[in-house]
Amino acid sequence: MITTTEEINIIDAAAAFIGEAYFELGKNEEEAKQRIEEISNEIARTGSYTHTYEELKHGAKMAWRNNNRCIGRLFWQTLEVFDARDTMDEAQAGDRIFQHMQYATNNGRIRPAITIFPASHTKHKLRIWNHQLVRYAGYQTEEGIVGDSSSLAFTKVCEELGWRGNGTRFDLLPLVIQMGEAPPKLFHLPKEAVLEVPLSHPDEVVFEQLELRWYAVPFISDMELEIGGISYAAAPFNGWYMGTEIGARNLSDTSRYNQLPIVAKLFGMNTSTNTSLWKDRALTELNVAVLHSFKKHGVSIVDHHTAAEQFLRFEKQEIEVGREVTGRWSWLIPPMSPATTGIWERSFDDTERSPAYRHQLPPYSLNNSLLK
Ligand code: ARG
């Protein structure tokens, strides 16, 4: 029998994963050894192997725990893992995604979850073209960009596939799902699957006139999940928001919704000089509004001070069970008042561990011919 280098790589990755996961799951060495043997045989026969549900579930959780950029890792064990590896077509995938969205949204009491679609080496491999399952469209118009500038390219793709938005700042993009090498299919998000929060401010009523809003749940849908050498190119997952992601980035970055000058004017701040610190003050008011509005509508959210405390507890917890925490400092510090959190004075080893969530190239820039 011939064993290719690729097969050897998978066997090595599988053995490392099984060793670690089975130990954490309280299984004995004999069980791990037997399973590795079984996997090696399957790889020799078929070129790859299939995870048990238990392996899949624990692997997805480990990948969260290993994510150097995530401040919310304290909750890694609470991840709900939906096994959708039996998905046969795009419509079924859409249904599984909508079910996930409803489960996770839970009328605002957000539950972290992941849905895992067929592995990349299988016939029914899937790609979700969206960056997030819920995201606002972005349009280049003569008066400038309307909506979310980070969605410009993907919005065009949707339009080429026949979709038309209303042209507002907050148009929900459709789902674009591709199976194998087939042309992608487009699905509209059902109303029940999406929760949005209109923004208001606790002590400035006119804030509502800005008509700002954001969706309740961040569902990342374009990252690859790799467990023990097996790649899952479609494995959308969600947690809940940290307020600053919306208030100090999405709505305030000059290259995104750029709302700081507008908020500053609303509050009568002096925007003619940097020394009034109008940007910092507007940032604070906008972030107060985000946290207030999510709370008011019963939608889970965490402020950056609490999230930083939770991260440091996660680190302590990991050290106690004998694992070292890796991290990327520049991502872990919040974008607002970072030096007021305990993460500021720390440093982290940024080594990437497996299992992992990894970035992958967007399929639409790779293969535009699929659109024809
Ligand atoms: N930063 C991204 C956004 O603002 C979401 C990334 C994931 N965030 C999370 N809290 N799980 O949409």
Side-chain angles (χ1 to χ4, degrees):
M1 184 158 325
I2 303 161
T3 315
T4 65
T5 5
E6 197 183 336
E7 285 173 7
I8 293 171
N9 289 342
I10 303 180
I11 294 175
D12 286 350
F17 165 65
I18 296 296
E20 208 178 325
Y22 276 40
F23 173 75
E24 290 182 16
L25 290 165
K27 298 180 188 284
N28 63 37
E29 256 173 70
E30 194 45 42
E31 272 176 281
K33 247 173 79 188
Q34 265 177 25
R35 178 61 179 136
I36 292 169
E37 178 132 348
E38 191 179 88
I39 289 173
S40 311
N41 292 335
E42 190 179 339
I43 292 173
R45 247 187 4 257
T46 69
S48 193
Y49 73 102
T50 313
H51 289 128
T52 64
Y53 175 66
E54 194 183 23
E55 290 161 5
L56 191 73
K57 181 169 149 184
H58 197 64
K61 292 180 182 184
M62 288 169 83
W64 183 2
R65 191 180 76 204
N66 284 339
N67 192 288
N68 292 353
R69 293 171 294 249
C70 179
I71 193 175
R73 286 181 272 168
L74 178 65
F75 303 97
W76 68 274
Q77 290 171 92
T78 67
L79 184 69
E80 181 68 34
V81 180
F82 296 119
D83 182 1
R85 289 175 297 170
D86 58 354
T87 303
M88 309 274 284
D89 59 41
E90 299 86 344
Q92 269 181 16
D95 287 344
R96 302 301 290 261
I97 287 172
F98 301 146
Q99 281 166 24
H100 174 157
M101 291 173 78
Q102 281 192 48
Y103 169 88
T105 306
N106 193 26
N107 294 314
R109 285 186 57 86
I110 299 172
R111 297 182 279 204
I114 184 167
T115 299
I116 303 175
F117 288 105
S120 305
H121 66 272
T122 63
K123 174 164 113 215
H124 294 115
K125 73 168 180 209
L126 212 85
R127 262 313 278 275
I128 300 169
W129 286 24
N130 309 61
H131 159 57
Q132 290 184 31
L133 300 179
V134 182
R135 200 67 162 169
Y136 299 121
Y139 311 94
Q140 186 74 62
T141 75
E142 272 159 29
E143 285 94 61
I145 292 167
V146 174
D148 196 337
S149 59
S150 74
S151 301
L152 284 174
F154 180 66
T155 303
K156 268 215 184 102
V157 168
C158 295
E159 287 172 338
E160 282 180 53
L161 290 167
W163 177 83
R164 282 287 165 275
N166 293 327
T168 77
R169 289 188 295 172
F170 299 108
D171 287 353
L172 291 173
L173 287 161
L175 214 54
V176 177
I177 303 175
Q178 178 181 28
M179 185 162 271
E181 307 303 327
K185 293 210 166 118
L186 204 136
F187 299 87
H188 293 273
L189 295 175
K191 272 219 160 55
E192 320 82 73
V194 184
L195 185 61
E196 290 180 279
V197 180
L199 300 192
S200 58
H201 189 280
D203 25 62
E204 188 58 75
V205 206
V206 290
F207 190 93
E208 286 170 40
Q209 290 171 13
L210 298 178
E211 297 192 334
L212 295 175
R213 58 199 292 126
W214 203 255
Y215 51 86
V217 189
F219 296 96
I220 303 293
S221 50
D222 60 356
M223 288 181 90
E224 174 203 42
L225 166 61
E226 181 263 316
I227 302 173
I230 300 294
S231 154
Y232 299 96
F237 60 83
N238 76 280
W240 50 76
Y241 264 117
M242 177 163 83
T244 53
E245 298 184 84
I246 303 166
R249 300 300 311 279
N250 302 345
L251 292 176
S252 56
D253 277 5
T254 47
S255 63
R256 297 285 297 285
Y257 280 83
N258 193 24
Q259 293 296 303
L260 294 186
I262 292 158
V263 173
K265 288 223 176 69
L266 187 83
F267 280 83
M269 296 170 190
N270 177 6
T271 56
S272 69
T273 168
N274 281 332
T275 58
S276 69
L277 298 187
W278 64 268
K279 285 186 190 170
D280 311 72
R281 291 171 58 208
L283 196 60
T284 303
E285 298 305 346
L286 181 53
N287 278 274
V288 164
V290 168
L291 293 169
H292 166 78
S293 312
F294 270 62
K295 253 215 181 103
K296 185 174 146 189
H297 287 87
V299 177
S300 311
I301 194 159
V302 65
D303 66 83
H304 50 295
H305 301 289
T306 306
E309 286 164 17
Q310 290 169 343
F311 180 77
L312 295 174
R313 260 170 61 207
F314 161 72
E315 193 188 23
K316 195 159 160 258
Q317 187 178 289
E318 287 297 293
I319 291 168
E320 272 164 20
V321 296
R323 286 189 293 260
E324 257 174 71
V325 173
T326 55
R328 187 177 303 176
W329 186 85
S330 63
W331 271 68
L332 292 172
I333 53 162
M336 215 184 143
S337 317
T340 66
T341 70
I343 301 176
W344 180 260
E345 58 201 32
R346 300 291 327 282
S347 64
F348 301 95
D349 167 11
D350 190 15
T351 308
E352 197 195 89
R353 298 244 176 86
S354 171
Y357 295 104
R358 297 209 180 90
H359 289 289
Q360 37 186 0
L361 290 172
Y364 45 88
S365 64
L366 279 181
N367 202 347
N368 277 319
S369 64
L370 285 171
L371 290 172
K372 300 215 176 90

